[in-house]
Amino acid sequence: MSQHSSTYVPKSAFGKWFESRLPIASLIHSSFIAYPVPRNINYFWTFGAILSFMLASQILTGVFLAMYYTPHASLAFQSVEHIMRDVNFGWLIRYMHANGASMFFVAVYIHIFRGIYYGSYKAPREILWILGVIIYGLMMATAFMGYVLPWGQMSFWGATVITNILAAIPVIGDTIQSLLWGGYSVGNPTLNRFFSIHYLLPFMIAGVVVLHVWALHVPGQNNPTGVPIKSDKDWVPFTPFATIKDLFATAVFMLVFAWFIFYIPNYMGHADNYVPANPSVTPAHIVPEWYFLPFYAILRAIPDKLGGVIAMFASIAVLAFLPWLDTSKVRSTSYRPLYKQFFWILVADTLLLGWLGAKPPEGWYVIVSQIATAYYFIHFLVILPLLGFIERPLPLPNSILESVLGQKGGAGLPSGANAEPQSKG
C-alpha cells in the first residue's frame, strides 16, 4: 500500500514554491484524498473518523472548562456549579465533555471489537494494533483522573479506592501512591496532580493517534474478508467514497450524542457525585464509571489484593499480544465458523463483567465474577492459540473484487491454501 504516491501538483506559483519547501499539501492529498481503501469496507470502519471527532471535541471542551475550573479541594465542586449555572453555555460545554467521555468509550469499544472480529491485529499490522492499545490505556488514565475533578462523593472515594489499590504493587506501590496523593491521603495536592495530568494526557493521546494513523497508512486498511489488495480493481480512493461514509456515520453518531446531551445528560453519571466530597461519609456502594466496570469486576474477583491488581492490568495488557496469540492464518472471523462462536461468547462475557462490576462484591456475584474472569483469560491464552491448529476455515475469495461481486472463491483448493497471501499483506 505504501507504494501509492501522491499525484498532487500545485497550480499556483506560490503553491509550487511552498510545496517544494514543505510538502504538506501532497501529504494530505496522498493520505486523505488519493489514499487507496478496500472497496468492501463497511460502516464499522467509520469509527476511526468518529473517534477522531470525539478526541477533538473532548480537547476543545476541556480547554474551555479549564478556563473556569478551580483545582482546589474547597473550591472545585463550587467551580463546576459556577460553570453550570453562571457561565454562558457552560452547562452545554460541561455536558458535552462529561457525556463525550462515555461516547468516546462507546466508539472505542466498537472499534476494538471490530479489530478483533476482523483480525486487524495480524501481520503486518502489529505495531498499528499495539499503538491502539496504548491509546486505550491513555484514555482510561485520562478518564479516571477527569472523573475525580468534580470533587463529588463518588469522585473522592473513587480516587481513594483506586490509589489504595496501587499501593499493593511490590516495591514501587507506596511510592506511586505517595506521588499521586501528595500527602498522607487523597486531598488538595491529589486534586492538583490529577488536574495537571488530565490536561496533559489528551495531547499525548493526539500524538499517539498521529503515529496510529501513520502505522495504518504503511500496510493499508484491513477489510471484512481479510484478503489483501491485489489489483487496482480491489480499491477505491479515500475521497469521495470513504469520506462520504465517514461523514454520514459521524453525523448519525452526533445525533445520538446530542440526544444524551439535551435529553438525558446525567444518565451515565452517579447521583452521589452531585454531593460535595466528604471524607467522613463513605457512600454505600462505590462504583466507577461504566467503561471501567469490566476491569473493576476482574479486580474484585481475585481475593488477594495484589492478585487483583495484576489481573486487572493483565486484562488490558493481554490485548497487545493478540498478534502472536492468534495462530490462525485466516484474518476475518467471517471465515472462521468455530471461532465466531467463541468471539460472541467473549462479547457476552465482557458485558457480564460490566454488569457484575456495578453490583456489590458479595454472595453469588463474586462467584460469577470469578468464572467470567477465568473465561476472559482462557479465551485469549488458551482458546485463541489452539483454534488456529484445529479449526477448518471456510474458503476465502481470491480477491476483494470477487467478494464484492458475490462470486465463490477458493473452490477446489485445499483448506488454508488460499489463506497464505494474508501473511504478506
Side-chain angles (χ1 to χ4, degrees), residues 315-328:
S315 64
I316 301 170
V318 72
L319 297 175
F321 296 94
L322 281 185
W324 299 277
L325 291 171
D326 188 352
T327 56
S328 175

Side-chain angles (χ1 to χ4, degrees), residues 38 44 48 79 81 90 101 109 192 260 303-304 310 323 330 392 394:
F44 282 111
S79 70
E81 290 300 304
Y109 282 131
N192 274 273
F260 275 94
D304 179 65
I310 293 173
V330 176
R392 186 178 179 86
L394 300 175

Side-chain angles (χ1 to χ4, degrees), residues 284-287 296 300 355-366 369:
H285 184 34
I286 300 172
V287 182
Y296 191 55
R300 299 188 309 179
W355 179 75
L356 291 166
K359 299 299 179 181
E362 58 190 28
W364 66 272
Y365 292 130
V366 176
S369 294

Side-chain angles (χ1 to χ4, degrees), residues 322-343:
L322 281 185
W324 299 277
L325 291 171
D326 188 352
T327 56
S328 175
K329 292 181 179 180
V330 176
R331 278 201 187 94
S332 177
T333 304
S334 300
Y335 300 93
R336 301 180 62 186
L338 187 56
Y339 175 66
K340 184 183 289 186
Q341 300 176 45
F342 285 106
F343 171 82

